Amino acid sequence: MTTSLNTSDIQTQMHQLAERLHKYNHEYYVMDNPTVPDAEYDRVFRELQALEQANPSLILADSPTQKVGGMALDKFEQVTHEVPMLSLDNAMEEPEFIAFNKRINDRLKSDQEFEFCCEPKLDGLAVSLLYVDGILVQAATRGDGAVGENITANVKTIKSIPLRLIGDSVPARVEVRGEVFLWLDGFKAFNENALAQGSKPMVNPRNGAAGSLRQLDSKITATRPLGFYAYSLGVVSDEVEMPDQHFARLEQINKWGLPLCPEVKVVKGVEGVLGFYADIQKKRNTLNYEIDGTVIKVNDIGIQDQLGFVARAPRWAIAYKFPAQEEMTVLRDVEFQVGRTGAITPVAKLEPVFVGGVTVSNATLHNAEEIERLGIKIGDTVIIRRAGDVIPQVVGAVAERRPADARDIEFPESCPVCQSHVEKPEGEAVTRCTGGLVCGAQRKQAIKHFASRKAMDIDGLGDKIVDQLVDAELISSPADLFSLSQEQIESLERMGPKSAANLIAAFQEAKQTTLAKFLYSLGIREVGETTAANLAQHFLTLEAIENASLEQLIEVSDVGNIVAQHVHSFFREEHNVSIINQLKEAGVNWPAIEKVEADQQPLNGLTYVITGTLSRVSRTEAKNLLVGLGAKVAGSVSAKTDYLVAGEKAGSKLTKAQDLNVPVLDEDGLVALLAEHGINP
C-alpha cells in the first residue's frame, strides 16, 4: 500500500534533508573534517532534489540545491565572483549519461553526435586565478559559488601556477579556473613523516589540499606537495578573440604557461565518452593524483551558449562519476584471522555494501592500535574505502549513528585456530600466535622452514611436496614427516617409487643433526642461525634451554629482552613441547656439546661480516668456523663491525667498510686467522 505525504510532511522531510546537507557542507568546506563519504552526500542531495522537482512551490529559500558549496571562512577576505563558479550535475551510471546526451539533443531539436571534451574529475579544491595585464593579482576558492575566500598568498606558493602569464595573446583581464590537488607521492611522504614525528596525518588527498590552501601562514602552504590543472575560463576581457572550442581554449591557457591535465581528450558522441570513461578508470591507480570520475563538456562554445544553465549547473556539462570509493555500512562483528607467520589480524564483518565497483562484506582492521586510533565499536556505522585493487579498509566511524548497544572490540587471549597463547611484544603493533609448530594457519610455513637447507636440510622435500602433504592431510606437523610411508609419498602427484625412496632416505639422514640446527629449525621468532648457535653453545642441552628463565636467556651473547621473550614463550607452550618430544621419539638426535672454555673462544666479543666469493672455504663454512671461535657473524657492515672478510667480487659492503675504516681481510687473511687458532679449512 502506498501512503501519500501531505504538504506539511513534505516540507518537514525537505527541511530535514536540507539541514543534513548544511551540516555536511559545514563539516566539509569550513571545518575540513567530513564525517560522511561523498556517496552519502550525493544520495541525500539527490533525494532532496527529487522532492523539489516534484514540489517546486515548496523549495526552501536556503536549500543546498540552490548553492554550490559552503560559506567562506571569516578568517579570509571574501571575494565575490564576477561570473558564478557553478557546480555540476552528476551521472552515476551509464544510463544517466545517455539521458544527459538525450536532453541536449531534445533541447537543440537535433540528433547529431556532438564532440565532447573529456577530463579526469580531479579530487581537490576548485580555485579561480585572476590575471591583470598578465600578472596574478587574486586567487580565490569557489566558496558558495558566488562568494569565495581570498587565498592569493597561498596560491602563489604553488610551483605550477605562474605569477606572470607568457605569450602575446594574453587578455588584459583573464580569470583561469582549475583544481588544486595533492600529488599522491607527496601525500604519502607527508603522512609517513607525520606519523614518524607523532603528528597528525592528512585524512585524504582532497582534505589535504583544502587544508593546505586554508593555512593562515603561506610558508606552511609552500611546504605542501600541491599541484594545479586548469579546466576553464571565467571572466575574459574582449580585446583578445578566444577560440570557439572548449579544448582549444584549454590549449590556449596552456600556452599562457598554466598546466593542463595530460589526460584531457576530445571524443565524438556517446560511444567516445564511454570509451574515455573506461580507459581513464583503468589508468586511475597509475595516476599521481586522485580522481573520482570524469567531467564531460560539450566542446562547441556556441552550443554551450545555446544550452545555458539551470540554477546551479550548466546544461552542457556533467560529472560522470566512478563507483564510490567510500561508502557507509554497519560493522556487524569482528573475526580474527591467523596468517602464515602467526600474525593475528582483525577482520571487520560488514553489512554488504557496494563500493569501488564491488560488493564488500569484509575489511581489514590491521591491528589493535589501528582499532584504537579509529575509535570504532561493533555496531557502529563505519566508512569503508576501496581504491582500485586495494583491500577494503575501514577509515572511520560516524559517531552520531552509534547505537546504545555498541560493543568494544576485544582481542583474543589465545589463538582462534590452535588455542595457543598469543603475545604482543613491547614496541610492536602485531599480535601473534606462539603455536608455530602446531597452528593450522602456520603449518605449511613451519614445515617448509623445518626442512630448509640451513635447518634440518631434508634433501628433496620442496615447497610443492610440503603443500601436497598438508593438503592431503598426510602431515600436520614436522614430526609427522618421519612417520610417512613410501606408499603415502608415492600417492603424491609426480612422485614415483624412486623419488619416494630417496625422500624416505633423506628423512632418515636428516635425523642426525646438531642442537644449533635443530633449534633454528623450530622457527622461533627472531632466532636465526647465529642466535641458535649461541644458545646451543651457552646451555649445551635442549633441556637447559627449555627450562631457562628470562634472566638466564638474556645472559646469552646476541640475546636481548625481545629474543629472550620469544624463546621463553615458545618453550612454555605445551603444543610446541609436545611436537619436540615427538621429534625426539622419531629419532631426531644430535651429538652432545662439550663446553668450550673462554680460552677456546679467542674471537669472543668480535663481530665479523663476510662478503664476496670465497674459493677455499664456503661462506657458510667460514661463518660456522668463526662462530665456533666465539665471533658474531653479522649480515651488514656498521660502525660496530670489527672485521670484514672480503672475497672476490666484493661490492657495497667492502665500500662501506672502507668508508668506516673497518679492517678488511681477504681470503688469505681469513685462512691465516683460522690457522692461527689451529683450524685448517
Side-chain angles (χ1 to χ4, degrees):
M1 183 178 75
T2 302
T3 303
S4 60
L5 297 174
N6 58 37
T7 298
S8 177
D9 291 335
I10 294 171
Q11 286 178 319
T12 299
Q13 189 173 350
M14 290 169 69
H15 180 76
Q16 290 172 343
L17 293 171
E19 284 301 307
R20 286 174 65 184
L21 291 171
H22 283 312
K23 176 178 180 294
Y24 297 157
N25 275 332
H26 180 75
E27 291 168 345
Y28 179 87
Y29 290 101
V30 178
M31 303 304 294
D32 286 336
N33 185 33
T35 60
V36 297
D38 286 353
E40 174 67 6
Y41 181 95
D42 290 339
R43 193 157 36 238
V44 177
F45 190 98
R46 288 155 76 90
E47 186 178 349
L48 177 58
Q49 212 172 24
L51 280 173
E52 291 178 346
Q53 288 171 356
N55 305 275
S57 64
L58 302 180
I59 295 177
L60 299 167
D62 64 342
S63 170
T65 64
Q66 309 304 302
K67 302 172 73 175
V68 174
M71 297 296 293
L73 295 177
D74 291 336
K75 62 186 179 182
F76 288 104
E77 175 190 346
Q78 294 190 344
V79 173
T80 300
H81 298 299
E82 295 179 50
V83 176
M85 291 184 70
L86 300 181
S87 187
L88 295 173
D89 284 334
N90 293 328
M92 301 296 183
E93 297 176 350
E94 183 179 318
E96 293 184 341
F97 173 73
I98 293 173
F100 162 77
N101 185 71
K102 183 177 183 301
R103 288 195 298 273
I104 292 175
N105 276 300
D106 290 347
R107 192 166 190 86
L108 297 176
K109 297 181 172 57
S110 167
D111 59 0
Q112 72 180 92
E113 277 197 326
F114 297 102
E115 272 193 350
F116 291 101
C117 183
C118 302
E119 309 163 16
K121 187 176 181 297
L122 301 162
D123 206 6
L125 191 74
V127 299
S128 157
L129 309 175
L130 180 62
Y131 289 85
V132 176
D133 294 329
I135 305 297
L136 179 61
V137 298
Q138 179 180 279
T141 63
R142 182 169 60 187
D144 66 358
V147 178
E149 305 150 356
N150 188 328
I151 53 170
T152 308
N154 289 340
V155 163
K156 284 183 175 181
T157 69
I158 300 173
K159 294 180 175 61
S160 57
I161 294 179
L163 300 181
R164 180 191 296 270
L165 299 182
I166 58 176
D168 299 326
S169 57
V170 178
R173 202 161 181 275
V174 60
E175 177 194 359
V176 178
R177 294 173 175 181
E179 196 89 357
V180 171
F181 55 88
L182 276 178
W183 297 108
L184 292 182
D185 54 2
F187 167 75
K188 180 180 178 183
F190 179 93
N191 276 358
E192 288 175 351
N193 185 57
L195 290 171
Q197 295 183 0
S199 56
K200 185 179 179 181
M202 297 178 185
V203 176
N204 55 48
R206 179 189 60 202
N207 279 60
S212 297
L213 285 180
R214 290 192 172 107
Q215 295 292 328
L216 289 175
D217 184 353
S218 61
K219 291 191 293 293
I220 296 176
T221 306
T223 66
R224 304 294 171 81
L226 295 169
F228 171 83
Y229 284 142
Y231 58 61
S232 71
L233 289 170
V235 174
V236 183
S237 55
D238 58 10
E239 73 277 359
V240 175
E241 186 175 348
M242 298 301 297
D244 58 6
Q245 303 289 318
H246 180 78
F247 182 70
R249 291 189 174 188
L250 293 181
E251 291 181 310
Q252 181 60 66
I253 293 171
N254 192 228
K255 290 176 183 176
W256 292 336
L258 286 148
L260 176 66
C261 179
E263 305 298 332
V264 177
K265 184 178 180 181
V266 175
V267 302
K268 188 84 169 180
V270 170
E271 292 305 315
V273 169
L274 298 180
F276 176 86
Y277 177 91
D279 289 344
I280 204 69
Q281 190 172 27
K282 289 177 184 176
K283 293 178 68 174
R284 181 183 193 178
N285 295 318
T286 67
L287 301 174
N288 194 25
Y289 46 86
E290 194 154 281
I291 63 175
D292 60 358
T294 59
V295 175
I296 313 300
K297 302 172 183 174
V298 173
N299 195 39
D300 189 294
I301 300 298
I303 296 176
Q304 288 185 10
D305 292 340
Q306 290 181 57
L307 291 168
F309 301 83
V310 292
R312 60 182 295 275
R315 292 192 179 97
W316 43 266
I318 196 165
Y320 186 1
K321 301 185 82 170
F322 294 142
Q325 289 189 297
E326 288 188 351
E327 267 292 0
M328 295 198 309
T329 189
V330 176
L331 175 61
R332 294 297 184 196
D333 203 355
V334 173
E335 292 184 356
F336 293 89
Q337 296 181 352
V338 185
R340 64 183 181 85
T341 62
I344 297 176
T345 303
V347 177
K349 311 303 288 185
L350 307 165
E351 191 72 31
V353 61
F354 191 76
V355 57
V358 299
T359 298
V360 171
S361 54
N362 299 319
T364 180
L365 290 172
H366 298 291
N367 52 55
E369 291 178 2
E370 178 70 359
I371 290 172
E372 183 178 355
R373 185 185 72 81
L374 293 171
I376 57 174
K377 296 186 176 188
I378 295 171
D380 272 346
T381 294
V382 294
I383 299 172
I384 305 300
R385 180 173 177 81
R386 180 184 181 274
D389 296 327
V390 176
I391 297 170
Q393 293 182 309
V394 176
V395 297
V398 183
E400 65 188 42
R401 299 194 180 189
R402 173 167 288 167
D405 60 351
R407 295 180 286 122
D408 290 337
I409 299 170
E410 297 181 359
F411 261 69
E413 295 182 358
S414 59
C415 173
V417 174
C418 69
Q419 283 70 58
S420 295
H421 173 68
V422 301
E423 64 178 9
K424 183 178 178 295
E426 185 177 349
E428 293 189 23
V430 178
T431 301
R432 295 181 185 273
C433 165
T434 60
L437 294 179
V438 297
C439 184
Q442 304 173 69
R443 187 168 293 148
K444 288 182 180 179
Q445 188 68 17
I447 295 171
K448 289 173 184 177
H449 174 78
F450 178 85
S452 64
R453 183 174 59 84
K454 294 180 179 180
M456 297 297 286
D457 193 17
I458 303 178
D459 188 34
L461 186 64
D463 289 355
K464 291 183 178 178
I465 295 176
V466 172
D467 289 341
Q468 289 189 67
L469 288 168
V470 174
D471 292 343
E473 298 183 355
L474 295 175
I475 60 173
S476 61
S477 78
D480 293 337
L481 292 169
F482 299 102
S483 61
L484 286 168
S485 68
Q486 181 158 332
E487 291 74 18
Q488 287 175 314
I489 297 174
E490 285 182 23
S491 70
L492 302 179
E493 184 180 345
R494 298 182 180 179
M495 184 63 73
K498 185 176 181 180
S499 297
N502 289 340
L503 193 53
I504 291 290
F507 289 147
Q508 294 303 313
E509 186 177 345
K511 290 179 182 179
Q512 311 299 320
T513 186
T514 66
L515 177 56
K517 289 172 74 71
F518 182 75
L519 283 172
Y520 176 66
S521 77
L522 298 178
I524 305 169
R525 286 198 69 215
E526 306 290 345
V527 175
E529 294 173 86
T530 301
T531 303
N534 290 341
L535 286 165
Q537 194 61 55
H538 183 90
F539 287 102
L540 304 181
T541 68
L542 178 63
E543 290 71 20
I545 298 171
E546 288 177 323
N547 296 320
S549 66
L550 283 171
E551 291 75 15
Q552 290 172 320
L553 288 166
I554 293 173
E555 292 175 2
V556 179
S557 173
D558 200 33
V559 173
N561 288 327
I562 293 176
V563 175
Q565 286 280 0
H566 291 320
V567 175
H568 190 265
S569 296
F570 183 90
F571 288 111
R572 297 302 174 278
E573 196 64 61
E574 292 183 12
H575 299 301
N576 294 334
V577 175
S578 174
I579 296 298
I580 290 170
N581 290 336
Q582 291 174 40
L583 286 166
K584 290 193 290 186
E585 290 168 6
V588 175
N589 67 94
W590 47 86
I593 302 173
E594 294 185 10
K595 184 173 180 60
V596 178
E597 301 299 332
D599 60 358
Q600 294 178 280
Q601 287 197 310
L603 303 184
N604 185 41
L606 297 179
T607 298
Y608 285 73
V609 173
I610 304 173
T611 188
T613 302
L614 303 177
S615 59
R616 281 178 277 179
V617 60
S618 71
R619 282 172 54 169
T620 300
E621 186 179 356
K623 176 180 178 180
N624 291 336
L625 291 172
L626 289 169
V627 169
L629 291 170
K632 173 185 176 182
V633 179
S636 59
V637 176
S638 72
K640 296 181 179 179
T641 304
D642 294 294
Y643 292 94
L644 174 73
V645 177
E648 294 293 327
K649 298 180 180 179
S652 60
K653 291 179 182 177
L654 176 58
T655 302
K656 187 170 184 181
Q658 292 168 338
D659 291 342
L660 293 172
N661 294 318
V662 172
V664 178
L665 297 176
D666 59 12
E667 187 165 6
D668 289 339
L670 172 66
V671 171
L673 172 68
L674 295 173
E676 183 183 335
H677 299 293
I679 299 173
N680 295 302

